[in-house]
Amino acid sequence: MDFDLIPTGKKQSVVQTPFDFSTAKSLRDALKENHPMLDNAKGFDVCYAFPWTNEKRLMGTLTHPESGRGMRVLSSMPGMQLYTGNHLSAPFIPYGGICLETQFLPDSPNQSSFPKTLLQPGETFTSTTEYQFFTF
């Protein structure tokens, strides 16, 4: 995506950016980091790309230390959108929720290097997404 959140088909590295969650960190702190894409979206609204394998694998984990609750997302899909409720409005509050949505990559039909999204008559498509809730 470009800085206006328009899909470009180009995968970008998240290393050493606010989008890098390869080690655990607070979303609240990450939202305060300086980055043009965070500024334009007013928070996180980004799709993370994973290797396309058709096999379910861990895509993300959320934890809430104050309550001791957590959630893991496992999926066979190649992408996961992270959205931090940037544009929620009444009766909700901005940033009052978070979404981890498994999906195909943005603009997939127009990107030959992305996993195929076109389903022909007679073909079957299946995917698996599993949300595991836990306490710690």
Side-chain angles (χ1 to χ4, degrees):
M1 293 199 167
D2 66 14
F3 290 111
D4 293 319
L5 305 178
I6 305 299
T8 63
K10 180 182 175 192
K11 294 179 185 176
Q12 299 171 332
S13 173
V14 298
V15 175
Q16 296 183 342
T17 73
F19 303 93
D20 186 357
F21 291 97
S22 56
T23 58
K25 68 178 178 181
S26 162
L27 265 175
R28 180 176 288 123
D29 293 343
L31 280 165
K32 295 175 186 172
E33 292 186 45
N34 185 22
H35 192 281
M37 285 179 67
L38 283 177
D39 295 341
N40 286 354
K42 304 205 181 337
F44 287 93
D45 192 357
V46 62
C47 185
Y48 288 86
F50 293 82
W52 179 246
T53 65
N54 283 331
E55 297 295 324
K56 185 174 64 176
R57 79 280 197 200
L58 181 64
M59 297 180 87
T61 302
L62 295 174
T63 59
H64 186 253
E66 291 83 7
S67 68
R69 293 176 294 174
M71 179 183 80
R72 290 182 198 90
V73 179
L74 299 95
S75 183
S76 60
M77 294 298 287
M80 184 177 69
Q81 190 80 15
L82 167 61
Y83 176 66
T84 52
N86 322 342
H87 302 285
L88 291 176
S89 57
F92 307 104
I93 59 170
Y95 313 101
I98 184 170
C99 179
L100 298 178
E101 177 185 352
T102 62
Q103 62 183 38
F104 279 102
L105 304 180
D107 200 31
S108 287
N110 298 310
Q111 303 298 329
S112 61
S113 64
F114 286 7
K116 176 183 156 194
T117 58
L118 180 64
L119 192 63
Q120 297 291 344
E123 292 181 333
T124 301
F125 170 77
T126 59
S127 71
T128 302
T129 297
E130 182 177 317
Y131 296 92
Q132 297 176 345
F133 297 91
F134 61 93
T135 57
F136 59 96

